[in-house]
Amino acid sequence: AGAGFRVSNLAVDYTFEDNPLETVHRFGLGMAFGQSTEEKRQASLNAQEAELQKQLVAAFMKENNSRIQNILAQAQRALDDGQYQDALQFIETARVLDPGYVGLENMEGEAYFGEGKSLEYQGNLSEATIAYQRCLNSKPDHTEAAKRLAAVSKLSNQEAARSDVIRQQFENALEAYAQ
């Protein structure tokens, strides 16, 4: 029979033998120096796993950057073609992949500015106002957007005032017709 225990790097063992000639009691005291074979093996596995994880992260970052570059190239083509909503969708996709990617705000500001000019040209002043404001939210130093926003706001206010006058004239005409 026997028993033993180990605490940190110190081991104590006891063995009892009941032989026909004599009874034997054995005590052992051991001290380990350095790591055990199992601890060395586990440390090696941990180091290999950490290196593999590092390589996987590097490969993912490289692939992700390549993906973002491709998406931004598509966004630039859409901007060049005047497809501002498509460009904004590509930019938003890139933002999902890497929210802090440098240059997204500039490209987004240009897309909103182009959309604002297009809407202004179509006579849709309320949506043009929103697009110019979004451009300024993305690129606060976009002076042309600030100028266009002021001009569109002024035109919108003039149309609203003109609409009030026309509405009043229409109501007066209806009242006169009814009498």
Side-chain angles (χ1 to χ4, degrees), residues 79 105-117 131-150:
L79 274 174
E105 289 82 13
N106 287 338
M107 190 176 275
E108 182 179 51
E110 290 306 315
Y112 280 127
F113 182 72
E115 182 181 33
K117 284 186 356 184
Y132 287 134
Q133 187 59 55
R134 286 181 176 167
C135 173
L136 289 172
N137 289 345
S138 295
K139 281 181 73 174
D141 59 341
H142 199 295
T143 56
E144 188 61 29
K147 289 177 187 175
R148 297 303 325 142
L149 176 62

Side-chain angles (χ1 to χ4, degrees), residues 155-165 167:
L155 283 173
S156 181
N157 290 339
Q158 288 172 349
E159 282 188 9
R162 184 174 41 229
S163 294
D164 287 342
V165 169
R167 192 174 312 124

Side-chain angles (χ1 to χ4, degrees), residues 171-179:
E171 287 175 9
N172 291 341
L174 280 178
E175 188 177 318
Y177 180 71
Q179 291 178 358

